[in-house]
Amino acid sequence: MIYLPVNLNQRVVTGILAALQKDIDTLSWFCGYMASEINGSEDNQKPHHPIAELSKTLIKSGMEPFTDFMPYPGCRIVILNSEKFESLPESVQAVVQQAFDIKESTGKEAQRINDALLQELVVQE
């Protein structure tokens, strides 16, 4: 496995998002992959990936991945733009609420959780 500097990773993800912008199926699959929904190559053959399907619903509803919502390690989605989410049709909001336990947190609490997860993901050389 090759580990790239954070700024290079960010450029790669930005490039991938730009390339996939018009391909909602692949873009939603990518969101599922980023959330660790897909853990092995054989999982690519499965017809239904909950994070990918939920991502597709959000994208089709006008939300942008990595801007309005973000796939997150542990098969989660983080809603970054709560105002935009709350303006979605109630049916879309209901799908999200049925799929996940919704937890609201302050910016400080979210940062604490992010820092803890980052520590778990850091690879010791």
Side-chain angles (χ1 to χ4, degrees):
M1 181 177 279
I2 299 172
Y3 296 97
L4 302 174
V6 173
N7 63 341
L8 186 54
N9 278 338
Q10 185 176 11
R11 290 188 355 217
V12 168
V13 170
T14 301
I16 289 170
L17 293 175
L20 298 178
Q21 194 63 36
K22 295 191 188 308
D23 185 351
I24 292 175
D25 289 330
T26 305
L27 185 56
S28 58
W29 173 89
F30 181 67
C31 289
Y33 178 81
M34 293 296 288
S36 299
E37 181 72 9
I38 298 167
N39 297 314
S41 59
E42 65 277 1
D43 289 341
N44 289 325
Q45 306 309 315
K46 292 181 183 176
H48 180 71
H49 302 289
I51 296 291
E53 291 300 315
L54 184 58
S55 296
K56 185 186 294 188
T57 299
L58 292 173
I59 293 167
K60 285 182 174 181
S61 298
M63 295 191 78
E64 294 183 38
F66 299 92
T67 301
D68 297 324
F69 74 95
M70 182 176 77
Y72 207 68
C75 299
R76 296 181 180 102
I77 284 184
V78 175
I79 302 296
L80 301 171
N81 187 338
S82 58
E83 290 178 12
K84 194 169 187 179
F85 177 74
E86 290 169 0
S87 72
L88 295 177
E90 286 184 25
S91 59
V92 173
Q93 291 181 42
V95 167
V96 174
Q97 291 170 351
Q98 289 170 0
F100 295 99
D101 293 330
I102 306 296
K103 297 179 183 178
E104 290 188 33
S105 62
T106 64
K108 229 180 211 185
E109 178 66 13
Q111 187 61 52
R112 187 189 66 74
I113 293 168
N114 285 342
D115 290 344
L117 283 170
L118 181 60
Q119 288 301 318
E120 290 181 25
L121 297 173
V122 169
V123 176
Q124 303 281 332
E125 290 185 36

